[in-house]
């Protein structure tokens, strides 16, 4: 048997952790198989050494979340607890964890596909990731960018998105240029804000260490020592994709993410993501990762929703005739793309590094 202690800065923080009627305390005991006793502003743990060590790590991360946000959302508690149970071998979790600036904050891939994705980013200067909504494409890419900045592997992070409306015309938006493009770039800011403190994000934005811009503004630039992320790349054109990829300078990394089934381009415009996956999937030095429904880590209903829509999604083959894209959750889609892509088929998902 072993003992451990996790001290909190106040009893209010402890109450935030324990939840209504101490329900989180009971869940910690049951799922981690340890005894947890409250003593003032600290929690005392007792159990097998490995379980106590894991419990200490979980409580330390939860404490860090409370200190940053002032409260503990239920989904964050579940996320941290579920992730800790996915890795029975501590070394396995350590090999894939992504360290960010906050001492109590770690980002760990939660599925085998996400683990391959993180390893691909680490081992390649250019990585493409295609997958459904909620599979962690953007979040893990941002976490890896922050990690590279922390390790001083890069000096700047550039987050890019096409400014394409999702199926509806919003008309003219008020404000200056930054105010007009802010709605399109908000998801990237959300991912940053979940990983870094608000003040730190604002400081990096003010100092131009982190730059968030529309894809159209990338032309003519050469970015050295930079981690670049192109998000929602299925909404880029072929010309825009070529322009973005050729911005890479020395000692830089690029991650391109997107979901081919959610293209918002006009019907007669080919998706730059689909074209790039077709052209570049076997080019040496470039990694291609295909995530599936099994990698969705949002609400459990999201996985079922994606599977239901994929089951009878109309696709087109090389002749333009519709084909059935039915596939089970967790399987890679067949060699086809969104009906908006002009009919070009994707190659089968290749093995990833």
């Amino acid at each position: 048997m072993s003992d451990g202690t996790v001290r909190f800065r106040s009893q209010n923080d402890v109450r935030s952790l324990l939840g209504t009627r101490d329900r989180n305390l009971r869940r910690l005991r049951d799922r981690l198989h340890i005894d947890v006793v409250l003593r003032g502003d600290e929690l005392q743990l007792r159990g097998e050494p490995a379980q106590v060590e894991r419990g200490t790590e979980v409580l330390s991360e939860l404490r860090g979340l409370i200190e940053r946000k002032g409260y503990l959302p239920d989904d964050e508690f579940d996320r941290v607890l579920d992730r800790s149970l996915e890795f029975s071998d501590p070394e396995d979790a350590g090999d894939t964890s992504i360290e960010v600036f906050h001492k109590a904050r770690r980002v760990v891939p939660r599925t085998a596909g996400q683990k391959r994705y993180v390893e691909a980013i680490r081992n390649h200067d250019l990585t493409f990731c295609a997958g459904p909504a909620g599979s962690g494409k953007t979040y893990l890419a941002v976490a890896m960018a922050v990690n590279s900045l922390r390790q001083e592997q890069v000096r700047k992070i550039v987050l890019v998105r096409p400014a394409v409306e999702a199926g509806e015309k919003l008309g003219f938006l008020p404000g200056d240029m930054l105010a007009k493009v802010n709605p399109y770039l908000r998801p990237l800011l959300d991912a940053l804000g979940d990983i870094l403190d608000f003040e730190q994000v604002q400081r990096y934005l003010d100092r131009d260490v982190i730059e968030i811009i529309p894809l159209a503004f990338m032309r003519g630039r050469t970015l050295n020592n930079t981690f670049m992320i192109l998000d929602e790349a299925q909404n880029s054109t072929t010309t825009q994709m070529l322009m973005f990829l050729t911005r890479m300078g020395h000692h830089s990394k690029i991650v391109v993410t997107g979901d081919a089934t959610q293209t918002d381009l006009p019907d007669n415009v080919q998706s730059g993501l689909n074209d790039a996956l077709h052209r570049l999937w076997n080019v040496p030095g470039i990694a291609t990762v295909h995530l599936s429904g099994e990698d969705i880590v949002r609400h459990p209903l999201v996985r079922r929703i994606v599977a239901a829509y994929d089951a009878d999604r109309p696709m087109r083959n090389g002749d333009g005739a519709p084909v059935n894209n039915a596939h089970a959750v967790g399987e890679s889609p067949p060699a086809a793309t969104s009906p908006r892509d002009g009919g070009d088929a994707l190659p089968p998902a290749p093995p990833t590094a």
Side-chain angles (χ1 to χ4, degrees), residues 26 56 64 76 83 148 153 174 195 212 223 225 231 241 251 262 283 318 320 336 342 346:
R26 293 190 292 271
T56 301
E76 288 289 326
R83 189 188 65 205
S148 295
Q153 297 170 352
I195 294 171
I212 305 178
L223 296 171
N225 302 294
D231 191 38
M241 178 63 73
H251 310 294
Q262 296 193 29
V283 174
L346 292 180

Side-chain angles (χ1 to χ4, degrees), residues 122-200:
R122 283 179 174 156
N123 297 325
H124 297 82
D125 288 337
L126 174 55
T127 302
F128 287 91
C129 181
S135 55
K137 305 182 299 295
T138 303
Y139 189 85
L140 290 174
V142 171
M144 288 297 293
V146 172
N147 175 261
S148 295
L149 189 65
R150 179 181 186 272
Q151 301 292 336
E152 298 184 353
Q153 297 170 352
V154 298
R155 295 200 300 259
K156 183 182 180 74
I157 296 174
V158 175
L159 307 176
V160 185
R161 264 180 85 125
V164 177
E165 297 166 348
E168 55 183 324
K169 299 300 182 182
L170 302 179
F172 293 101
L173 298 176
D176 57 13
M177 185 272 295
L178 291 177
K180 292 178 186 294
V181 301
N182 181 269
Y184 301 102
L185 306 178
R186 174 55 56 181
L188 293 171
L189 280 170
D190 291 342
L192 268 178
D194 193 57
I195 294 171
L196 298 175
D197 294 332
F198 173 81
E199 293 80 7
Q200 194 168 24

Side-chain angles (χ1 to χ4, degrees), residues 113-333:
Q114 289 186 351
K115 181 178 178 181
R116 291 194 303 270
Y117 178 34
V118 169
E119 290 174 346
I121 296 174
R122 283 179 174 156
N123 297 325
H124 297 82
D125 288 337
L126 174 55
T127 302
F128 287 91
C129 181
S135 55
K137 305 182 299 295
T138 303
Y139 189 85
L140 290 174
V142 171
M144 288 297 293
V146 172
N147 175 261
S148 295
L149 189 65
R150 179 181 186 272
Q151 301 292 336
E152 298 184 353
Q153 297 170 352
V154 298
R155 295 200 300 259
K156 183 182 180 74
I157 296 174
V158 175
L159 307 176
V160 185
R161 264 180 85 125
V164 177
E165 297 166 348
E168 55 183 324
K169 299 300 182 182
L170 302 179
F172 293 101
L173 298 176
D176 57 13
M177 185 272 295
L178 291 177
K180 292 178 186 294
V181 301
N182 181 269
Y184 301 102
L185 306 178
R186 174 55 56 181
L188 293 171
L189 280 170
D190 291 342
L192 268 178
D194 193 57
I195 294 171
L196 298 175
D197 294 332
F198 173 81
E199 293 80 7
Q200 194 168 24
V201 173
Q202 192 61 51
R203 185 164 59 250
Y204 282 150
L205 290 172
D206 292 341
R207 296 178 180 177
D208 207 33
V209 175
I210 295 177
E211 184 179 358
I212 305 178
I213 60 173
L215 175 59
F217 295 172
M218 288 291 289
R219 187 175 295 280
R221 305 181 66 180
T222 300
L223 296 171
N224 300 315
N225 302 294
T226 303
F227 197 117
M228 291 175 277
I229 299 173
L230 174 57
D231 191 38
E232 298 292 339
Q234 76 276 4
N235 288 331
S236 66
T237 65
T238 301
T239 302
Q240 287 176 326
M241 178 63 73
L242 175 61
M243 178 271 292
F244 175 77
L245 295 178
T246 53
R247 301 309 94 200
M248 177 184 281
H250 296 291
H251 310 294
S252 292
K253 274 183 178 286
I254 287 181
V255 178
V256 178
T257 70
D259 179 2
T261 67
Q262 296 193 29
T263 301
D264 300 308
L265 295 172
D267 292 343
N268 62 340
V269 178
Q270 184 181 23
S271 168
L273 174 64
N274 297 340
D275 179 74
L277 289 171
H278 180 76
R279 294 175 186 270
L280 304 176
W281 72 273
N282 61 346
V283 174
I286 298 178
T288 302
V289 179
H290 291 262
L291 300 179
S292 68
E294 289 295 330
D295 300 302
I296 295 175
V297 293
R298 288 182 185 165
H299 193 286
L301 278 178
V302 175
R303 182 179 297 185
R304 301 172 198 165
I305 292 169
V306 170
Y309 273 84
D310 280 353
D312 60 353
R313 186 184 300 278
M315 309 302 288
R316 301 181 189 271
N317 59 22
D319 299 324
V323 297
N324 187 22
N325 188 28
H327 62 280
V329 173
E331 295 179 0
S332 296

